[in-house]
Amino acid sequence: MRVQILGCSGGIGGPALRTTSLLLDDDVLIDAGTGSADLSLAALTAIDHVFITHAHLDHIACLPFILDSVGDKRSSALTVHATAATLAVLQTHIFNWHIWPDFSTIPSPSQPFLRFHTITEGVAVELSGGRRVTALPAKHTVPAVGYLLDSGRASLAFSGDTTCCSALWEALNAVPNLRQVIIEAAFPNAERELALLSKHLCPSLLEQELLQLNAAVEIFVTHAKPGQFEHIAAEIAAFSGRHRPRMLLHDQVFEL
């Protein structure tokens, strides 16, 4: 299983600043932030599944455009997987004919461009090739999950947007083949109170959270706000515990 980082920034502003999107092999997106806009039409057409962590714009911005661009080039509906709460937001506020067409009903309700699938935390979605995607606990300002991507041989965990969440670490400690964890730290330590208010992490909060992770795995930090990357990276590099995270980079690839 191959995971390519299409976007891992907390904002935009240049070729390496793309908001959250991960490409799993060539047919699955994890979130559909602005990073997915760099894919070709052929690559977009090949995507059969999109797993959404939560409904904030930086994680869904390109989903409407993907459907508009390649819906008529596909032989079957694109499936969007999310919790019931997140799907309700997408249906009420995005695919509502006011902001964007409801692609779950066009070109016809019987053969739409878009299909919604409700996921449940802790219950795996089985994909072709023995791949499994499982929603993980997360705590954010809106209903949110992370995802565990399991090839059968190894797993990569992605937190999505979250603040302190003991349930996340409990879930990850139960994964025997865990190899990597991608976890957010959106703000520097000087903005710790803002991180707490907006239910994100900063390096000092993340260092405390990692004390709950038992496995010696690779840790990568995502979602740094534009202009704060170097500052956050320096604070991450100063960690003194057993876990020594590194900053996640645009276009980084993981093989599982």
Side-chain angles (χ1 to χ4, degrees):
M1 190 163 71
R2 182 179 190 269
V3 179
Q4 180 182 0
I5 307 304
L6 304 178
C8 57
S9 175
I12 61 173
L17 295 181
R18 301 283 190 267
T19 67
T20 304
S21 190
L22 289 67
L23 180 63
L24 171 56
D25 294 326
D26 61 357
D27 61 337
V28 180
L29 282 179
I30 308 299
D31 280 337
T34 62
S36 53
D38 292 331
L39 294 174
S40 67
L41 285 176
L44 291 173
T45 303
I47 294 167
D48 293 324
H49 304 272
V50 181
F51 289 82
I52 300 295
T53 58
H54 65 291
H56 279 165
L57 193 59
D58 54 330
H59 295 255
I60 67 165
C62 283
L63 179 59
F65 296 112
I66 291 171
L67 290 159
D68 195 39
S69 296
V70 301
D72 61 349
K73 295 176 171 58
R74 296 178 45 79
S75 58
S76 61
L78 175 71
T79 302
V80 170
H81 307 263
T83 63
T86 296
L87 291 182
V89 173
L90 293 176
Q91 292 171 297
T92 301
H93 298 293
I94 302 296
F95 299 105
N96 59 7
W97 293 105
H98 296 284
I99 300 299
W100 209 247
D102 181 2
F103 281 105
S104 68
T105 65
I106 57 174
S108 71
S110 62
Q111 293 184 307
F113 289 163
L114 168 63
R115 183 173 77 91
F116 295 111
H117 175 247
T118 303
I119 60 170
T120 301
E121 187 180 300
V123 178
V125 176
E126 305 280 349
L127 302 176
S128 61
R131 301 169 299 171
R132 295 158 59 94
V133 178
T134 306
L136 294 167
K139 289 184 180 180
H140 197 37
T141 55
V142 296
V145 295
Y147 285 109
L148 183 72
L149 314 180
D150 187 351
S151 69
R153 185 180 61 151
S155 290
L156 180 151
F158 169 56
S159 72
D161 286 10
T162 190
T163 188
C164 304
C165 183
S166 295
L168 171 62
W169 307 111
E170 291 174 10
L172 294 185
N173 286 334
V175 178
N177 66 353
L178 187 65
R179 182 178 293 176
Q180 289 104 3
V181 174
I182 297 174
I183 179 86
E184 70 127 281
F187 296 96
N189 288 334
E191 298 181 11
R192 179 185 172 110
E193 292 306 313
L194 178 57
L196 289 168
L197 179 65
S198 58
K199 293 192 176 180
H200 284 286
L201 293 171
C202 64
S204 62
L205 290 171
L206 176 57
E207 190 168 22
Q208 294 173 4
E209 286 294 286
L210 289 176
L211 295 175
Q212 302 175 67
L213 179 62
N214 295 333
V217 300
E218 293 183 299
I219 311 291
F220 295 90
V221 177
T222 187
H223 210 277
K225 294 296 182 183
Q228 299 282 17
F229 183 93
E230 298 300 333
H231 193 170
I232 292 170
E235 292 177 341
I236 293 292
F239 279 18
S240 59
R242 65 179 295 209
H243 298 293
R244 297 302 182 95
R246 289 171 280 167
M247 299 301 288
L248 189 67
L249 301 177
H250 174 75
D251 216 28
Q252 192 166 349
V253 173
F254 299 90
E255 299 281 353
L256 303 176

